[in-house]
Short mmCIF file of all heavy atoms in Angstrom, two decimals:
data_model
loop_
_atom_site.label_atom_id
_atom_site.label_comp_id
_atom_site.label_asym_id
_atom_site.label_seq_id
_atom_site.Cartn_x
_atom_site.Cartn_y
_atom_site.Cartn_z
N VAL A 86 107.16 85.21 -32.60
CA VAL A 86 106.56 86.03 -33.60
C VAL A 86 106.11 87.47 -32.96
O VAL A 86 105.65 88.30 -33.61
CB VAL A 86 105.17 85.42 -33.97
CG1 VAL A 86 105.46 84.23 -34.91
CG2 VAL A 86 104.33 85.00 -32.82
N HIS A 87 106.43 87.70 -31.62
CA HIS A 87 106.01 88.89 -30.98
C HIS A 87 107.09 90.01 -31.13
O HIS A 87 107.72 90.42 -30.31
CB HIS A 87 105.77 88.61 -29.57
CG HIS A 87 104.75 87.58 -29.33
ND1 HIS A 87 105.12 86.19 -29.16
CD2 HIS A 87 103.55 87.47 -29.12
CE1 HIS A 87 104.11 85.39 -28.95
NE2 HIS A 87 103.02 86.21 -28.82
N TYR A 88 107.23 90.51 -32.44
CA TYR A 88 108.19 91.54 -32.60
C TYR A 88 107.67 92.47 -33.75
O TYR A 88 106.67 92.03 -34.48
CB TYR A 88 109.57 91.10 -33.00
CG TYR A 88 109.65 90.33 -34.27
CD1 TYR A 88 110.09 90.89 -35.56
CD2 TYR A 88 109.22 88.98 -34.30
CE1 TYR A 88 110.05 90.10 -36.65
CE2 TYR A 88 109.18 88.16 -35.43
CZ TYR A 88 109.69 88.79 -36.74
OH TYR A 88 109.64 88.12 -37.77
N GLY A 89 108.05 93.68 -33.77
CA GLY A 89 107.70 94.49 -34.81
C GLY A 89 108.77 95.70 -34.92
O GLY A 89 109.84 95.49 -34.26
N ASN A 90 108.49 96.66 -35.60
CA ASN A 90 109.50 97.73 -35.71
C ASN A 90 108.72 98.94 -36.11
O ASN A 90 108.25 99.18 -37.32
CB ASN A 90 110.42 97.37 -36.76
CG ASN A 90 111.54 98.37 -36.73
OD1 ASN A 90 111.48 99.50 -36.46
ND2 ASN A 90 112.77 97.87 -37.17
N LEU A 91 108.30 99.88 -35.25
CA LEU A 91 107.48 100.97 -35.56
C LEU A 91 108.11 101.74 -36.58
O LEU A 91 107.43 102.55 -37.33
CB LEU A 91 107.17 101.68 -34.32
CG LEU A 91 105.92 102.60 -34.15
CD1 LEU A 91 104.63 101.82 -34.81
CD2 LEU A 91 105.56 103.03 -32.84
N SER A 92 109.41 101.86 -36.56
CA SER A 92 110.07 102.87 -37.73
C SER A 92 109.79 102.13 -39.09
O SER A 92 109.96 102.83 -40.04
CB SER A 92 111.62 103.12 -37.28
OG SER A 92 112.21 101.84 -37.47
N LEU A 93 109.46 100.89 -39.17
CA LEU A 93 109.15 100.40 -40.45
C LEU A 93 107.62 100.35 -40.55
O LEU A 93 107.02 99.67 -41.54
CB LEU A 93 109.66 98.98 -40.57
CG LEU A 93 111.29 98.77 -40.44
CD1 LEU A 93 111.57 97.26 -40.54
CD2 LEU A 93 111.94 99.52 -41.64
N GLY A 94 106.86 100.88 -39.63
CA GLY A 94 105.43 100.86 -39.63
C GLY A 94 104.87 99.54 -39.16
O GLY A 94 103.69 99.25 -39.53
N VAL A 95 105.58 98.75 -38.49
CA VAL A 95 105.13 97.42 -38.08
C VAL A 95 104.88 97.50 -36.63
O VAL A 95 105.87 97.49 -35.89
CB VAL A 95 106.05 96.32 -38.56
CG1 VAL A 95 105.52 94.91 -38.12
CG2 VAL A 95 106.31 96.34 -40.00
N LEU A 96 103.71 97.21 -36.19
CA LEU A 96 103.18 97.16 -34.70
C LEU A 96 103.63 95.82 -34.20
O LEU A 96 103.65 94.70 -34.98
CB LEU A 96 101.67 97.35 -34.64
CG LEU A 96 101.16 98.70 -35.12
CD1 LEU A 96 99.56 98.70 -35.00
CD2 LEU A 96 101.71 99.81 -34.33
N THR A 97 103.90 95.74 -32.96
CA THR A 97 104.34 94.45 -32.22
C THR A 97 103.06 93.81 -31.75
O THR A 97 102.31 94.40 -30.84
CB THR A 97 105.41 94.59 -31.24
OG1 THR A 97 106.49 95.19 -31.83
CG2 THR A 97 105.78 93.40 -30.46
N MET A 98 102.78 92.62 -32.18
CA MET A 98 101.55 91.82 -31.75
C MET A 98 101.48 91.48 -30.26
O MET A 98 102.50 91.12 -29.73
CB MET A 98 101.22 90.63 -32.65
CG MET A 98 102.40 89.54 -32.45
SD MET A 98 101.98 88.12 -33.38
CE MET A 98 100.98 87.12 -32.20
N VAL A 99 100.38 91.33 -29.70
CA VAL A 99 100.15 90.55 -28.52
C VAL A 99 99.51 89.25 -29.01
O VAL A 99 99.01 89.15 -30.22
CB VAL A 99 99.26 91.18 -27.53
CG1 VAL A 99 99.93 92.60 -27.05
CG2 VAL A 99 97.90 91.50 -28.06
N SER A 100 99.47 88.24 -28.09
CA SER A 100 98.93 86.95 -28.50
C SER A 100 97.48 86.94 -28.62
O SER A 100 96.92 86.15 -29.45
CB SER A 100 99.28 85.94 -27.60
OG SER A 100 100.68 85.80 -27.53
N HIS A 101 96.80 87.81 -27.94
CA HIS A 101 95.42 87.68 -27.93
C HIS A 101 94.71 87.96 -29.16
O HIS A 101 94.95 89.12 -29.90
CB HIS A 101 94.78 88.81 -26.82
CG HIS A 101 95.41 88.57 -25.46
ND1 HIS A 101 96.80 88.62 -25.28
CD2 HIS A 101 94.91 88.40 -24.32
CE1 HIS A 101 97.11 88.52 -24.15
NE2 HIS A 101 95.90 88.42 -23.42
N LEU A 102 94.06 87.05 -29.82
CA LEU A 102 93.60 87.07 -31.21
C LEU A 102 92.49 88.15 -31.19
O LEU A 102 91.72 88.40 -30.31
CB LEU A 102 92.87 85.71 -31.53
CG LEU A 102 93.72 84.55 -31.64
CD1 LEU A 102 93.05 83.29 -31.76
CD2 LEU A 102 94.81 84.82 -32.79
N GLY A 103 92.74 88.99 -32.27
CA GLY A 103 91.70 90.16 -32.54
C GLY A 103 92.14 91.35 -31.86
O GLY A 103 91.86 92.46 -32.27
N ALA A 104 93.11 91.34 -30.84
CA ALA A 104 93.40 92.43 -30.02
C ALA A 104 94.14 93.60 -30.81
O ALA A 104 94.12 94.68 -30.44
CB ALA A 104 94.23 91.98 -28.76
N MET A 105 94.86 93.17 -31.91
CA MET A 105 95.60 94.16 -32.63
C MET A 105 94.71 94.96 -33.58
O MET A 105 95.05 96.05 -34.11
CB MET A 105 96.73 93.56 -33.35
CG MET A 105 97.84 92.92 -32.52
SD MET A 105 98.46 94.09 -31.22
CE MET A 105 99.23 95.23 -32.26
N LEU A 106 93.47 94.60 -33.97
CA LEU A 106 92.69 95.04 -34.96
C LEU A 106 92.20 96.49 -34.50
O LEU A 106 92.47 97.56 -35.16
CB LEU A 106 91.48 94.23 -35.20
CG LEU A 106 92.01 92.77 -35.83
CD1 LEU A 106 90.73 91.88 -36.03
CD2 LEU A 106 92.76 92.99 -37.07
N PRO A 107 91.66 96.66 -33.32
CA PRO A 107 91.48 98.02 -32.94
C PRO A 107 92.73 98.86 -32.76
O PRO A 107 92.65 100.13 -32.95
CB PRO A 107 90.73 98.06 -31.48
CG PRO A 107 90.47 96.46 -31.22
CD PRO A 107 91.30 95.68 -32.27
N VAL A 108 93.80 98.34 -32.43
CA VAL A 108 94.95 99.04 -32.26
C VAL A 108 95.45 99.76 -33.55
O VAL A 108 95.84 100.94 -33.65
CB VAL A 108 96.10 98.10 -31.68
CG1 VAL A 108 97.44 98.99 -31.60
CG2 VAL A 108 95.83 97.65 -30.22
N ILE A 109 95.39 98.96 -34.70
CA ILE A 109 95.84 99.52 -35.89
C ILE A 109 94.88 100.64 -36.42
O ILE A 109 95.24 101.55 -37.07
CB ILE A 109 96.22 98.36 -36.91
CG1 ILE A 109 96.94 99.10 -38.16
CG2 ILE A 109 94.97 97.77 -37.42
CD1 ILE A 109 97.62 98.18 -39.02
N VAL A 110 93.58 100.49 -36.12
CA VAL A 110 92.66 101.40 -36.55
C VAL A 110 93.09 102.73 -35.83
O VAL A 110 93.13 103.83 -36.43
CB VAL A 110 91.14 101.05 -36.12
CG1 VAL A 110 90.22 102.14 -36.44
CG2 VAL A 110 90.87 99.78 -36.86
N GLY A 111 93.37 102.71 -34.48
CA GLY A 111 93.80 103.71 -33.80
C GLY A 111 95.10 104.48 -34.31
O GLY A 111 95.25 105.48 -34.39
N ALA A 112 95.96 103.53 -34.62
CA ALA A 112 97.24 104.03 -35.17
C ALA A 112 97.15 104.74 -36.59
O ALA A 112 97.75 105.72 -36.72
CB ALA A 112 98.24 102.76 -35.29
N VAL A 113 96.24 104.23 -37.31
CA VAL A 113 96.06 104.93 -38.65
C VAL A 113 95.25 106.13 -38.54
O VAL A 113 95.62 107.23 -39.04
CB VAL A 113 95.31 103.97 -39.69
CG1 VAL A 113 94.86 104.68 -40.86
CG2 VAL A 113 96.08 102.78 -39.97
#
Side-chain angles (χ1 to χ4, degrees):
Chain A
V86 291
H87 307 86
Y88 62 102
N90 189 333
L91 203 47
S92 65
L93 301 174
V95 182
L96 301 172
T97 297
M98 66 176 275
V99 299
S100 299
H101 306 57
L102 295 168
M105 296 309 294
L106 300 175
V108 175
I109 191 164
V110 176
V113 172

